[in-house]
Amino acid sequence: MFTKQGPTVRELAVQALSSTERGYDLLAPKFDRTPYRTPDHVLDAVTRAVRELGPFDSGLDVCCGTGAGVGVLRRLCRERAVGVDFSAGMLAEARAAFPPGGEGPAVHWVRADARSLPFAPAFDLALSFGAFGHFLPAERFGLFAEVHGSLRPGGRFVFPIGAPPPVGSRAYWSLFGFDAAMRVRNALWRPRFVMYYRTFPLGDVLKDLTRAGFAARLLPLTELGVRPDGSPRARLVVATREGPA
């Protein structure tokens, strides 16, 4: 984090005291040099798993940030890849990373809040990486409903989800402490910065996907490792839109 290329302690502090949108505008120029950017090995594992579910013509990266997920869509979709995010700063970095022209599907960028997506049912595939901590549990169903409304019947909504760390482990207490600190910060300071690690439990996620009209299943991402009991460290949630357009 605190390398010459990454954000400084002061920059992170200013970001943390800003709103979620403003914080990411500030972080955007250095975001890809932080641990927050989804690692390439995760992107590659998801790409290989999703390719087996295709083919796809058009894809949507929900909360695209600097465009890592759009890079996945360009490898999976034949015609069009669209990234949507509410941070103008993040979208500016994404546009710079994927200049117009060249081979592959057309790439488009849209500034919008994922809780109110401006799309008709136009996509065969939607995906998202590392964004769900920015939505409160009460917002999750609405977010899924917006994605559902952006997909054609039979379209897929996919995203990786990691296994929770064992209770009492160092990782468990690290995430617990981060969320607790964030709750105190948001209780005492405005504007809020919404970022939590423990508000996306798999059981509740699957229930909300079903409520939103998806049929959901899980695929193991075993190339990302297994736990001591043999279960995968990460799974791919594959939610298929059911019902008419």
Side-chain angles (χ1 to χ4, degrees):
M1 288 290 289
F2 311 123
T3 66
K4 291 182 179 179
Q5 293 76 31
T8 64
V9 175
R10 181 183 182 280
E11 288 171 332
L12 288 173
V14 172
Q15 179 208 9
L17 295 176
S18 304
S19 67
T20 313
E21 179 180 349
R22 177 58 178 160
Y24 275 97
D25 285 346
L26 294 170
L27 183 60
K30 297 182 179 181
F31 179 82
D32 285 349
R33 293 182 288 276
T34 73
Y36 303 130
R37 196 258 192 192
T38 303
D40 286 340
H41 70 277
V42 175
L43 301 173
D44 292 341
V46 170
T47 300
R48 284 188 281 271
V50 176
R51 183 173 286 122
E52 300 300 316
L53 307 174
F56 307 102
D57 287 330
S58 59
L60 176 67
D61 182 3
V62 181
C63 304
C64 66
T66 55
V70 168
V72 172
L73 292 175
R74 293 187 76 245
R75 296 156 64 182
L76 294 171
C77 298
R78 296 180 292 197
E79 296 178 3
R80 182 171 62 133
V82 177
V84 60
D85 203 283
F86 74 163
S87 167
M90 298 293 269
L91 287 172
E93 296 298 317
R95 289 189 181 96
F98 296 91
E103 299 181 356
V107 175
H108 304 281
W109 307 99
V110 177
R111 186 181 181 193
D113 192 319
R115 294 167 295 189
S116 183
L117 292 173
F119 305 115
F123 298 97
D124 307 302
L125 175 65
L127 50 72
S128 191
F129 291 96
F132 296 122
H134 297 303
F135 299 93
L136 298 173
E139 299 173 317
R140 189 169 51 231
F141 164 73
L143 169 66
F144 292 165
E146 288 294 313
V147 177
H148 183 274
S150 303
L151 289 169
R152 299 185 180 108
R156 316 275 195 173
F157 178 32
V158 303
F159 51 88
I161 187 167
V167 175
S169 67
R170 181 176 179 180
Y172 173 88
W173 288 115
S174 176
L175 299 182
F176 183 92
F178 181 93
D179 280 12
M182 186 60 70
R183 292 184 187 282
V184 171
R185 178 256 187 246
N186 286 331
L188 299 176
W189 188 269
R190 291 293 185 274
R192 294 187 305 172
F193 188 93
V194 178
M195 178 64 230
Y196 298 106
Y197 284 105
R198 302 174 68 250
T199 57
F200 203 69
L202 180 58
D204 292 344
V205 168
L206 295 177
K207 290 178 183 177
D208 283 340
L209 285 168
T210 301
R211 288 178 58 210
F214 287 104
R217 61 190 176 106
L218 301 173
L219 297 178
L221 295 172
T222 52
E223 64 183 279
L224 297 180
V226 296
R227 305 173 78 177
D229 63 1
S231 62
R233 293 191 180 276
R235 292 179 170 90
L236 184 71
V237 176
V238 179
T240 303
R241 170 174 175 162
E242 298 185 316

